[in-house]
Amino acid sequence: MNRFRISFLSILGILAVFTACSDDDIPDNFYSSTKVTAAGFIEADEEQYGEFHQILDRANYFSMLATYGEYTLFLPNNAAVDTYLSENGYRSVDDIPLEMCDTLARTHIVKTVALFTTDISGESMPMNMNDRYIELSTDSDVTNNNALIVYVNKRSRIIEKDDSVTNGVVHVIDRMLTASNQFLPDLMEEDPQLTIFCEALRLTGMADSISKYLDETYTCGDDSVTKGVKVKYSTGSNGQANLLTAYFPEKRYFKFSAFVETDSIYRAHGINDLDDLKAYAKQVYDQSYPEDAGLYDDDFKNRKNPLNRFVSYHLINRIGLYEDWVTLGTILENCHITNVADPEDYYETMAPHSIMRFCYASDQLFINRKGVARNASVRGVRVLKREESGGQQQSAMNGVYHYIDDILTYSDNVRNNVLNRRLRIDGTTMSPDFMNANARVHWMEQSHLTGFKNAYVTDWKMSDETFVGVHSEQQSWWSYEGNAICVSGIYDISMKLPPVPFSGTWEIRMGFSQGEDRGVAQVYLNNEPCGIPVSFRHSDTYSGWEADTEDEDYNLAVDKAMRNRGFMKAMDSYGGDTPFRNRANTLVRRILTKQYLSTEQDYWLRFRQVLDDENLYMSFDYIELCPKSVYDSPEGEDRH
């Protein structure tokens, strides 16, 4: 299932354009072979592409490239195939095992989308037919007036690009794409820059924890995958429920991401071997968790051991490329109001009860940064882009690793200073399955709703009468980050909240859009009711919302009156020209409960539909965890 976001023509830096390849859709500057399919393109020049034609034939994929549809084909020329044969000890294409031919064919094809090189932007990268990322990166050709060079998976150079065909686009490459079949820790072991971290990864046992791949217990009928399932979604003016097609993932994957320091980063901090790293971790985590100091120092597989905590905090149980951790691309350009707040998202890490903040500031991705844009009081750790990470392949079969430019820890300063803030948790980040199934960042696709089966969504529980689906992103939707989770049926659903960084009194809030086709739910925290049921309908919300005026004292009075009713306006940092705070009485935040939350306890938020009407639904957008130090501060909580 493709995860590349489809956007309309936008001349912003590098163009982000790709749609179906009809004659009218093909940009004027592209070479056009509109009279042939991708298969026809190959047949027209067998002297250049005959060997890959043989591979496609043996794998039974050549005929597919001759049919109607949308494909992106990364086409190795004969020289590229010859290099592959030589490197792998094959005398000819006939010597390649049939199973390997199938893998090679699927590795070079992106199905359902025509991806031009001008699509390289802040959007997410697509996946090939093997469910592996295709990573595009660029460089400058200093010998040719700094002309743009495009690389595929870092090693294969596109030598002829953007050849439009009737069913997609063809890019000719100078090396075969050979995705690693290794698990993430094995791939990292081959990186000569990561020797110290990999030693720690093995010693703590965390290498085993990130060596899973496929859930063999998961099954899904072919119709649910290819044809989709009709689900009830909103109600029309005639009172009848509208139906929307939801497509379910064919497979369920376990995937992981690691954010790692190179040996040179460690050496800059006086860490030259594993023993030095153990001492560094002990110094940091004895201070961050003083109650555990000295208790687990020699038990490296204990989750409270300092080195174990250090390594685990570098790992997240979902896959994400550079573009995936914070919404970028069209959403960033048109929806985020970056002069008041950096685009951000929060993720639970594999260190028990720990959380990590990602933000995008000054065109760079940071972890655990405090401040806005260049005005940061805590710089945080920067994630390096693909172009900065050298030629090492960083995508494994079950995950990806990223270089970072400083040492990453869940220190006392991070927990009690950097993360002493309102945590706005987008609903689509609240299960790794939403990202591992590529549901979080679909972009205006035709299907635009990915369904999930009961019992196969990590950190979520749902009744058999509940449907859960993740929406595609669309900048026109009145939902934070352009996406939301559709919950429908006579639903009863629970989701595990991300951990709080420090114990204390916190407000738990929910952001949502209202509508008469929404339901009414009783909310529980760890099965304890949170007040009276929450209505998601205009007619009985009574939030007290009023538009802002030029009288700031009056605006503050409205905000206070809304809080007294248990409501808040939406944020002023998202929504583009009309921030969500100003969008009528439709977008609000509801304060669900105010309670003491412990860093050592799991908390489950449950929503149970109380109306006996399966046509009503809930659009679950985001959760906020806000500490008392913020909502009850003398200067008051900001509106961002």
Side-chain angles (χ1 to χ4, degrees):
M1 196 173 289
N2 162 53
R3 63 185 285 120
F4 198 92
R5 306 172 186 176
I6 302 177
S7 62
F8 294 109
L9 183 60
S10 173
I11 305 175
L12 292 169
I14 301 176
L15 294 176
V17 180
F18 65 93
T19 54
C21 287
S22 67
D23 289 348
D24 293 337
D25 292 325
I26 298 167
D28 292 336
N29 60 312
F30 292 150
Y31 167 74
S32 177
S33 300
T34 57
K35 300 302 181 184
V36 299
T37 62
F41 182 94
I42 296 171
E43 286 181 314
D45 196 351
E46 291 286 340
E47 289 187 5
Q48 283 290 318
Y49 313 121
E51 293 187 16
F52 194 69
H53 185 172
Q54 288 180 262
I55 292 173
L56 292 170
D57 267 341
R58 295 189 67 207
N60 295 319
Y61 281 102
F62 188 78
S63 59
M64 182 190 76
L65 294 176
T67 61
Y68 174 80
E70 275 192 284
Y71 305 98
T72 299
L73 172 63
F74 295 94
L75 176 60
N77 58 21
N78 287 346
V81 177
D82 288 341
T83 299
Y84 171 81
L85 295 174
S86 176
E87 290 176 344
N88 289 275
Y90 300 127
R91 291 172 299 177
S92 69
V93 170
D94 290 335
D95 288 342
I96 304 175
L98 283 176
E99 183 178 343
M100 180 56 68
C101 283
D102 181 82
T103 298
L104 289 172
R106 295 169 65 89
T107 297
H108 289 78
I109 302 171
V110 176
K111 197 173 182 180
T112 75
V113 63
L115 172 64
F116 293 96
T117 54
T118 49
D119 297 319
I120 305 169
S121 66
E123 313 284 3
S124 292
M125 294 293 103
M127 299 189 83
N128 62 26
M129 291 184 64
N130 276 330
D131 292 331
R132 306 289 291 277
Y133 284 112
I134 294 290
E135 296 188 61
L136 303 182
S137 55
T138 61
D139 199 356
S140 297
D141 186 352
V142 295
T143 65
N144 187 24
N145 296 321
N146 291 321
L148 183 71
I149 305 174
V150 182
Y151 289 96
V152 187
N153 293 353
K154 289 193 172 183
R155 298 179 178 178
S156 300
R157 179 172 175 172
I158 295 180
I159 55 177
E160 184 177 330
K161 62 185 179 180
D162 301 328
D163 286 316
S164 300
V165 291
T166 57
N167 59 349
V169 62
V170 176
H171 305 286
V172 180
I173 55 177
D174 68 350
R175 287 182 64 91
M176 294 272 284
L177 303 180
T178 53
S180 171
N181 289 322
Q182 296 172 299
F183 284 163
L184 185 56
D186 300 311
L187 183 67
M188 292 168 62
E189 288 273 9
E190 294 184 349
D191 191 332
Q193 302 181 81
L194 303 180
T195 62
I196 297 176
F197 185 86
C198 286
E199 280 189 83
L201 189 69
R202 295 289 182 190
L203 180 63
T204 57
M206 293 308 297
D208 296 333
S209 298
I210 59 173
S211 293
K212 298 189 296 181
Y213 178 54
L214 191 64
D215 186 348
E216 300 288 354
T217 71
Y218 177 88
T219 59
C220 194
D222 184 63
D223 283 352
S224 298
V225 175
T226 60
K227 298 180 182 178
V229 175
K230 296 294 185 182
V231 296
K232 294 173 181 176
Y233 174 77
S234 77
T235 305
S237 58
N238 59 359
Q240 300 299 310
N242 294 322
L243 296 179
L244 193 66
T245 303
Y247 295 85
F248 286 75
E250 180 182 7
K251 299 176 182 178
R252 185 188 186 217
Y253 295 107
F254 301 110
K255 296 186 179 183
F256 306 90
S257 296
F259 298 86
V260 293
E261 304 92 351
T262 61
D263 293 344
S264 60
I265 296 294
Y266 286 140
R267 285 194 295 271
H269 289 268
I271 300 170
N272 297 298
D273 54 29
L274 182 60
D275 286 337
D276 289 342
L277 186 60
K278 292 176 187 176
Y280 182 90
K282 177 173 171 57
Q283 179 182 2
V284 170
Y285 285 98
D286 279 1
Q287 181 180 10
S288 188
Y289 296 92
E291 66 277 12
D292 297 328
L295 299 180
Y296 310 98
D297 289 357
D298 298 321
D299 186 2
F300 296 105
K301 294 186 178 181
N302 191 298
R303 304 314 308 279
K304 294 185 178 182
N305 169 270
L307 185 66
N308 193 296
R309 276 178 161 142
F310 178 91
V311 171
S312 301
Y313 192 66
H314 289 67
L315 309 174
I316 298 181
N317 62 347
R318 65 196 72 194
I319 189 169
L321 296 182
Y322 186 91
E323 301 84 5
D324 296 337
W325 301 100
V326 177
T327 53
L328 303 180
T330 304
I331 291 289
L332 171 63
E333 294 162 0
N334 298 331
C335 299
H336 282 289
I337 304 172
T338 55
N339 64 326
V340 296
D342 293 331
E344 64 173 7
D345 271 308
Y346 295 84
Y347 298 89
E348 186 171 0
T349 80
M350 293 182 69
H353 297 105
S354 68
I355 193 170
M356 186 181 289
R357 178 182 186 253
F358 286 84
C359 72
Y360 198 70
S362 302
D363 298 323
Q364 295 178 323
L365 183 65
F366 289 90
I367 301 173
N368 295 340
R369 181 181 179 89
K370 183 176 182 179
V372 177
R374 292 180 174 84
N375 299 318
S377 58
V378 178
R379 175 187 180 274
V381 173
R382 188 171 71 85
V383 182
L384 271 60
K385 300 178 181 180
R386 281 183 290 276
E387 291 81 0
E388 301 175 280
S389 301
Q392 195 76 24
Q393 187 171 356
Q394 294 169 237
S395 293
M397 185 167 66
N398 71 331
V400 63
Y401 68 91
H402 303 267
Y403 294 135
I404 51 180
D405 76 345
D406 204 351
I407 297 184
L408 177 65
T409 65
Y410 201 48
S411 65
D412 180 71
N413 181 53
V414 168
R415 296 179 63 190
N416 293 290
N417 177 23
V418 174
L419 296 178
N420 185 358
R421 60 189 303 121
R422 174 188 55 238
L423 311 179
R424 183 171 293 138
I425 317 294
D426 186 74
T428 64
T429 69
M430 292 180 65
S431 174
D433 286 286
F434 298 151
M435 290 181 69
N436 290 341
N438 312 316
R440 170 171 149 81
V441 289
H442 279 307
W443 177 248
M444 291 193 294
E445 291 189 20
Q446 184 177 1
S447 60
H448 76 265
L449 187 61
T450 304
F452 289 88
K453 293 179 61 176
N454 187 8
Y456 290 98
V457 183
T458 302
D459 295 335
W460 286 58
K461 304 172 185 176
M462 63 191 82
S463 67
D464 291 336
E465 296 77 24
T466 303
F467 168 80
V468 171
V470 175
H471 293 299
S472 304
E473 292 182 355
Q474 294 191 23
Q475 71 177 57
S476 60
W477 285 5
W478 285 21
S479 55
Y480 177 58
E481 298 191 342
N483 54 39
I485 299 175
C486 172
V487 181
S488 61
I490 308 298
Y491 58 81
D492 191 342
I493 187 167
S494 300
M495 59 209 70
K496 187 168 76 71
L497 294 175
V500 293
F502 54 88
S503 300
T505 302
W506 293 73
E507 277 188 352
I508 302 176
R509 310 163 181 165
M510 176 186 181
F512 60 93
S513 57
Q514 304 172 84
E516 293 310 303
D517 47 13
R518 314 299 167 91
V520 177
Q522 178 62 58
V523 184
Y524 306 82
L525 184 66
N526 286 3
N527 284 324
E528 292 293 326
C530 299
I532 62 174
V534 176
S535 173
F536 305 114
R537 303 187 296 188
H538 278 125
S539 57
D540 49 14
T541 295
Y542 304 119
S543 67
W545 188 98
E546 293 184 36
D548 284 345
T549 69
E550 295 182 1
D551 186 341
E552 184 59 22
D553 290 336
Y554 185 79
N555 298 338
L556 290 171
V558 171
D559 287 347
K560 182 176 181 180
M562 287 185 66
R563 278 193 64 90
N564 290 339
R565 293 184 174 95
F567 289 91
M568 298 174 64
K569 291 183 179 180
M571 73 286 288
D572 67 2
S573 58
Y574 187 88
D577 293 338
T578 306
F580 275 11
R581 177 178 171 87
N582 301 336
R583 294 202 180 188
N585 188 18
T586 299
L587 297 166
V588 294
R589 288 177 277 183
R590 178 67 183 262
I591 302 170
L592 301 176
T593 186
K594 186 185 301 182
Q595 292 193 21
Y596 179 88
L597 301 182
S598 169
T599 58
E600 297 300 312
Q601 185 174 350
D602 289 337
Y603 293 94
W604 287 81
L605 199 60
R606 176 186 174 195
F607 295 86
R608 179 179 61 84
Q609 168 73 285
V610 299
L611 300 180
D612 189 19
D613 186 347
E614 62 180 12
N615 294 326
L616 301 176
Y617 75 105
M618 175 177 70
S619 181
F620 181 78
D621 196 359
Y622 62 92
I623 289 291
E624 289 183 350
L625 304 176
C626 189
K628 182 178 174 64
S629 57
V630 173
Y631 71 76
D632 201 27
S633 66
E635 61 272 18
E637 181 181 348
D638 66 51
R639 296 168 175 172
H640 311 328

